[in-house]
Short mmCIF file of all heavy atoms in Angstrom, two decimals:
data_model
loop_
_atom_site.label_atom_id
_atom_site.label_comp_id
_atom_site.label_asym_id
_atom_site.label_seq_id
_atom_site.Cartn_x
_atom_site.Cartn_y
_atom_site.Cartn_z
N MET A 1 0.85 -1.19 0.00
CA MET A 1 0.00 0.00 0.00
C MET A 1 0.89 1.24 0.00
O MET A 1 1.75 1.37 0.87
CB MET A 1 -0.92 -0.01 1.22
CG MET A 1 -1.85 1.21 1.31
SD MET A 1 -2.93 1.19 2.76
CE MET A 1 -4.19 0.04 2.25
N GLY A 25 -15.39 5.59 27.18
CA GLY A 25 -16.67 6.07 26.68
C GLY A 25 -16.49 7.01 25.52
O GLY A 25 -15.37 7.35 25.13
N THR A 44 6.25 -4.54 5.02
CA THR A 44 7.42 -3.71 4.71
C THR A 44 8.36 -3.53 5.88
O THR A 44 9.51 -3.12 5.69
CB THR A 44 6.95 -2.32 4.26
OG1 THR A 44 6.27 -1.67 5.35
CG2 THR A 44 6.01 -2.42 3.07
N ALA A 54 -2.23 2.11 28.19
CA ALA A 54 -2.73 2.32 29.55
C ALA A 54 -1.61 2.15 30.56
O ALA A 54 -0.67 1.39 30.35
CB ALA A 54 -3.85 1.33 29.84
N ALA A 56 -1.10 1.74 35.07
CA ALA A 56 -1.86 1.19 36.19
C ALA A 56 -2.97 2.15 36.61
O ALA A 56 -4.10 1.73 36.92
CB ALA A 56 -0.92 0.90 37.35
N GLY A 69 -20.76 1.97 34.21
CA GLY A 69 -21.56 1.65 33.04
C GLY A 69 -22.40 0.41 33.25
O GLY A 69 -23.56 0.35 32.81
N ASP A 87 -26.84 -2.05 15.93
CA ASP A 87 -26.28 -0.84 15.33
C ASP A 87 -24.75 -0.87 15.30
O ASP A 87 -24.14 -0.26 14.43
CB ASP A 87 -26.78 0.39 16.09
CG ASP A 87 -28.25 0.67 15.82
OD1 ASP A 87 -28.82 0.02 14.92
OD2 ASP A 87 -28.84 1.53 16.51
N LEU A 138 -35.06 -22.34 32.23
CA LEU A 138 -35.94 -23.49 32.29
C LEU A 138 -36.96 -23.33 33.41
O LEU A 138 -36.71 -22.65 34.40
CB LEU A 138 -35.13 -24.77 32.53
CG LEU A 138 -34.12 -25.15 31.45
CD1 LEU A 138 -33.31 -26.35 31.91
CD2 LEU A 138 -34.81 -25.44 30.13
N SER A 173 -15.25 -9.28 18.88
CA SER A 173 -16.68 -9.18 18.62
C SER A 173 -17.42 -10.43 19.09
O SER A 173 -18.57 -10.33 19.55
CB SER A 173 -16.93 -8.94 17.13
OG SER A 173 -16.54 -10.04 16.33
N CYS A 182 -25.91 -9.77 26.96
CA CYS A 182 -26.14 -10.37 28.28
C CYS A 182 -26.17 -9.36 29.41
O CYS A 182 -26.52 -9.70 30.54
CB CYS A 182 -25.07 -11.42 28.56
SG CYS A 182 -25.19 -12.89 27.51
N VAL A 204 -15.61 3.28 16.44
CA VAL A 204 -16.93 2.84 15.97
C VAL A 204 -17.86 2.60 17.17
O VAL A 204 -19.01 3.06 17.19
CB VAL A 204 -16.79 1.56 15.13
CG1 VAL A 204 -18.16 1.02 14.74
CG2 VAL A 204 -15.95 1.82 13.88
N GLY A 216 -19.16 3.51 28.84
CA GLY A 216 -18.68 2.44 29.72
C GLY A 216 -19.10 1.05 29.34
O GLY A 216 -18.76 0.10 30.05
N PHE A 242 -9.60 -15.10 27.39
CA PHE A 242 -8.24 -14.97 26.86
C PHE A 242 -8.07 -15.81 25.61
O PHE A 242 -8.40 -16.99 25.59
CB PHE A 242 -7.21 -15.41 27.91
CG PHE A 242 -5.79 -15.45 27.37
CD1 PHE A 242 -5.03 -14.29 27.31
CD2 PHE A 242 -5.24 -16.63 26.91
CE1 PHE A 242 -3.74 -14.31 26.80
CE2 PHE A 242 -3.95 -16.66 26.39
CZ PHE A 242 -3.20 -15.51 26.33
N GLY A 244 -4.91 -16.81 23.01
CA GLY A 244 -3.47 -16.71 22.83
C GLY A 244 -2.81 -18.06 23.01
O GLY A 244 -3.44 -19.12 22.86
N ASP A 331 2.50 -8.87 -1.49
CA ASP A 331 1.74 -7.83 -0.81
C ASP A 331 0.32 -8.34 -0.54
O ASP A 331 -0.43 -8.64 -1.47
CB ASP A 331 1.71 -6.58 -1.69
CG ASP A 331 0.94 -5.42 -1.05
OD1 ASP A 331 0.37 -5.61 0.05
OD2 ASP A 331 0.93 -4.33 -1.65
N HIS A 350 11.32 -18.43 14.34
CA HIS A 350 10.68 -19.58 15.00
C HIS A 350 10.35 -20.65 13.96
O HIS A 350 10.55 -21.86 14.20
CB HIS A 350 9.42 -19.11 15.71
CG HIS A 350 8.81 -20.13 16.62
ND1 HIS A 350 9.51 -20.75 17.64
CD2 HIS A 350 7.56 -20.66 16.67
CE1 HIS A 350 8.72 -21.60 18.26
NE2 HIS A 350 7.53 -21.57 17.68
N ASP A 374 13.67 -11.76 -0.61
CA ASP A 374 13.42 -10.91 -1.77
C ASP A 374 11.99 -10.37 -1.78
O ASP A 374 11.73 -9.29 -2.34
CB ASP A 374 13.67 -11.68 -3.07
CG ASP A 374 15.15 -11.99 -3.27
OD1 ASP A 374 15.98 -11.34 -2.60
OD2 ASP A 374 15.47 -12.88 -4.08
N ARG A 416 -5.66 -42.62 16.42
CA ARG A 416 -4.66 -42.54 17.50
C ARG A 416 -3.64 -41.45 17.21
O ARG A 416 -3.30 -40.66 18.10
CB ARG A 416 -3.96 -43.89 17.66
CG ARG A 416 -4.76 -44.94 18.40
CD ARG A 416 -3.89 -46.11 18.85
NE ARG A 416 -3.23 -46.78 17.74
CZ ARG A 416 -3.77 -47.77 17.04
NH1 ARG A 416 -4.99 -48.21 17.34
NH2 ARG A 416 -3.11 -48.33 16.04
N ASN A 419 -5.26 -37.95 17.71
CA ASN A 419 -5.53 -37.53 19.09
C ASN A 419 -4.28 -37.45 19.96
O ASN A 419 -4.32 -36.89 21.05
CB ASN A 419 -6.51 -38.51 19.74
CG ASN A 419 -7.90 -38.43 19.12
OD1 ASN A 419 -8.21 -37.52 18.36
ND2 ASN A 419 -8.74 -39.41 19.44
N GLN A 439 -17.39 -42.93 12.32
CA GLN A 439 -16.40 -43.38 13.30
C GLN A 439 -15.52 -42.22 13.76
O GLN A 439 -15.17 -42.12 14.93
CB GLN A 439 -15.52 -44.49 12.71
CG GLN A 439 -14.54 -45.08 13.72
CD GLN A 439 -13.79 -46.27 13.18
OE1 GLN A 439 -14.19 -46.88 12.18
NE2 GLN A 439 -12.69 -46.63 13.82
N ALA A 442 -17.54 -40.09 16.24
CA ALA A 442 -18.04 -40.77 17.44
C ALA A 442 -17.21 -40.40 18.66
O ALA A 442 -16.15 -39.78 18.56
CB ALA A 442 -18.01 -42.28 17.21
N ARG A 498 -50.05 -21.46 51.63
CA ARG A 498 -49.93 -20.93 52.99
C ARG A 498 -49.28 -21.95 53.93
O ARG A 498 -49.34 -21.84 55.14
CB ARG A 498 -51.29 -20.51 53.53
CG ARG A 498 -51.89 -19.34 52.74
CD ARG A 498 -53.06 -18.69 53.46
NE ARG A 498 -53.58 -17.57 52.71
CZ ARG A 498 -53.08 -16.33 52.70
NH1 ARG A 498 -52.00 -16.07 53.42
NH2 ARG A 498 -53.66 -15.38 52.00
#
Side-chain angles (χ1 to χ4, degrees):
M1 179 180 282
T44 64
D87 288 351
L138 298 174
S173 66
C182 291
V204 175
F242 173 82
D331 181 356
H350 191 55
D374 291 343
R416 282 195 301 272
N419 292 348
Q439 184 174 343
R498 295 194 179 279

